[in-house]
Amino acid sequence: MNDEICSIDTNILVYAYDVSEGKKHEICKHLIDKSWRLQEKYSISTQNLSEFYVVITKKIENPVPMETAKGIIGDIIAFQNWIVVDYGARTLLAAIDINRTYKVHYWDALIAATMRENNIFCI
């Protein structure tokens, strides 16, 4: 098991559950399965989980039922090998600084600021 905890991006989680994505699905499912098999501990932000819910229930070729998506998110929140991180009011200011300094999309900057505040430097 790797000592450095990596954050899982929304797209990785979506592809892991979107069976219509073929090779991407297989690769991402294998990656996510490492957590369920206690081989890797991952971090994910509440923002990523929210994005996952919207994409997996509305924006993919074969949407997942809302209750199923809720169950997946609930399992991630409850499982020991997932570290769910959230942001606070001050994180917004850090995200604005990242957005302005590095010219990245604000929502990506918010994830970066959240990760940084939780000492997670791998995605």
Side-chain angles (χ1 to χ4, degrees):
M1 189 182 297
N2 185 347
D3 288 342
E4 184 176 22
I5 296 173
C6 291
S7 183
I8 294 295
D9 182 67
T10 304
N11 291 327
I12 300 295
L13 196 58
V14 168
Y15 288 140
Y17 289 95
D18 183 0
V19 295
S20 72
E21 283 295 332
K23 186 74 172 165
K24 289 178 187 176
H25 167 69
E26 291 304 318
I27 292 168
C28 294
K29 183 178 183 299
H30 176 73
L31 184 68
I32 298 302
D33 281 348
K34 287 182 175 185
S35 176
W36 300 121
R37 291 190 315 260
L38 302 175
Q39 296 172 340
E40 289 286 345
K41 187 174 272 196
Y42 295 126
S43 164
I44 194 160
S45 74
T46 54
Q47 179 183 335
N48 290 120
L49 291 173
S50 295
E51 291 172 357
F52 168 75
Y53 177 79
V54 171
V55 173
I56 204 80
T57 61
K58 305 262 187 241
K59 296 185 176 187
I60 62 172
E61 185 177 323
N62 298 308
V64 170
M66 291 177 182
E67 206 53 41
T68 301
K70 180 181 177 185
I72 294 166
I73 292 168
D75 289 346
I76 289 171
I77 291 169
F79 193 60
Q80 66 186 9
N81 267 33
W82 285 97
I83 299 168
V84 179
V85 295
D86 201 357
Y87 59 87
R90 295 225 175 261
T91 317
L92 302 176
L93 299 174
I96 291 168
D97 289 341
I98 292 169
N99 169 251
R100 290 177 57 205
T101 302
Y102 299 102
K103 310 292 188 239
V104 296
H105 192 278
Y106 172 76
W107 297 110
D108 293 335
L110 183 57
I111 291 171
T114 302
M115 289 171 54
R116 186 171 60 191
E117 287 181 2
N118 286 278
N119 296 315
I120 298 165
F121 302 101
C122 171
I123 189 164

